[in-house]
Amino acid sequence: MTDVQLECQEIWKRFGGFEALKGIDMEVKRGEILGLIGPNGAGKSTLLNLINGIYAPTKGRIFFDGNEITGKKPHEICRIGIARVFQIPRPFYEMSCLDNVVTAIVFNSGLDTASAEKKALELLEFVGMKYPERRPDEVTLQDKRRVELARALACGPKLLLVDEYMAGLNPSEIQEAVELLKKVNKELGITLIWVEHVMPAIMGLAERVVVLDHGIKIAEGRPEEVVKVKKVIEAYLGSDTAVEA
Ligand SMILES: Nc1ncnc2c1ncn2[C@@H]1O[C@H](COP(=O)(O)OP(=O)(O)OP(=O)(O)O)[C@@H](O)[C@H]1O
Ligand SMILES: [Mg+2]
């Protein structure tokens, strides 16, 4: 097996007359944490939307574990081992956090409710969620994110797409969230493509970074190298951005 798990070849995405992605090539290695960064509107979430099948690319091809997945639907993508944590959590508000995860497990695996509940409690414990019986509107944003992560883990992914997991969290919550993503990667062996604006978190955790701007890949490499690239500073970081971990 090669060490490339996901490969995007010459990916284009047009919305009406607007080109959101313009010929993106990207390789993701098995087991790595790849940071995907860039200014608002750069095309980061769109690229995740193409990988997990919410949209099909206008042009280009996507391969996972050597098999083409271009244009497959989200539930098919989930079943072959790619899960998504969304920028804005979208739980079912009328049921408990536990039942949100149970529902995801039953949908993805067909397990009976009792076995699904046992697995859901294990996942919620893994992500550090202490209030499984509460409804999502009764818990903090950090706990909503934990539940969202547990739901994504419910399909047993090999690759997890994480979109702005740190947004809206305070510094100590960010530190805990960094540790949690690290645990997902190291203990469960799950590859991460992680879109984030919180640069110190990216600097501390991502092994490699891809930078998008206006739908184009403008840089790629180790975080400490990428933050020195002139185009990246001009398009995104600014000269006085604090990037130390
Ligand atoms: N469904 C859509 N229809 C029309 N335009 C869209 C659609 N989805 C995204 N776009 C446009 O594509 C561009 C890229 O959007 P995208 O959400 O991928 O940016 P992003 O890099 O994730 O930005 P942010 O950091 O603000 O989340 C934006 O100009 C956006 O308005
Ligand atoms: Mg986005």
Side-chain angles (χ1 to χ4, degrees), residues 8 18 21 47 58 64 68 74 103 113 120 123 131 139 145 149 160 177 197 202 210 216-217 219 235 240:
C8 296
F18 175 72
L21 292 172
L47 187 54
T58 311
F64 180 65
E68 182 156 16
T103 305
T113 313
L123 284 174
Y131 312 104
V139 304
R145 291 252 161 80
L149 180 59
L160 187 63
H197 284 295
I202 284 280
V210 165
I216 293 169
K217 183 169 80 177
D240 58 354

Side-chain angles (χ1 to χ4, degrees), residues 131-150:
Y131 312 104
E133 301 300 337
R134 292 189 186 171
R135 287 201 322 270
D137 58 357
E138 297 170 329
V139 304
T140 62
L141 175 63
Q142 184 183 30
D143 278 340
K144 276 197 202 75
R145 291 252 161 80
R146 287 181 166 129
V147 173
E148 193 71 0
L149 180 59

Side-chain angles (χ1 to χ4, degrees), residues 41 43-46 87 163-164 195 197:
K44 306 178 297 295
S45 297
T46 300
Q87 194 167 343
D163 203 349
E164 297 203 31
V195 171
H197 284 295

Side-chain angles (χ1 to χ4, degrees), residues 57-192:
T58 311
K59 256 196 297 183
R61 302 172 75 185
I62 305 174
F63 294 85
F64 180 65
D65 276 341
N67 300 312
E68 182 156 16
I69 60 164
T70 323
K72 284 194 187 294
K73 299 285 168 241
H75 67 275
E76 297 174 288
I77 297 287
C78 188
R79 295 224 161 107
I80 60 173
I82 303 177
R84 173 87 177 263
V85 180
F86 285 92
Q87 194 167 343
I88 300 169
R90 289 171 202 153
F92 298 115
Y93 280 97
E94 66 279 9
M95 54 172 82
S96 69
C97 292
L98 173 62
D99 284 343
N100 265 275
V101 184
V102 170
T103 305
I105 293 170
V106 169
F107 179 76
N108 288 304
S109 67
L111 276 183
D112 63 88
T113 313
S115 312
E117 193 167 306
K118 184 166 175 283
K119 187 170 172 200
L121 285 167
E122 284 166 12
L123 284 174
L124 286 165
E125 190 180 343
F126 180 84
V127 300
M129 172 51 173
K130 297 193 180 76
Y131 312 104
E133 301 300 337
R134 292 189 186 171
R135 287 201 322 270
D137 58 357
E138 297 170 329
V139 304
T140 62
L141 175 63
Q142 184 183 30
D143 278 340
K144 276 197 202 75
R145 291 252 161 80
R146 287 181 166 129
V147 173
E148 193 71 0
L149 180 59
R151 286 171 76 199
L153 294 176
C155 77
K158 294 187 242 173
L159 168 64
L160 187 63
L161 313 176
V162 184
D163 203 349
E164 297 203 31
Y165 195 81
M166 312 290 159
L169 301 185
N170 68 36
S172 70
E173 291 171 337
I174 287 175
Q175 202 44 50
E176 284 174 29
V178 164
E179 291 306 318
L180 180 54
L181 292 185
K182 198 191 282 180
K183 195 166 103 163
V184 167
N185 175 253
K186 299 284 178 278
E187 286 184 23
L188 304 180
I190 297 173
T191 312
L192 299 183

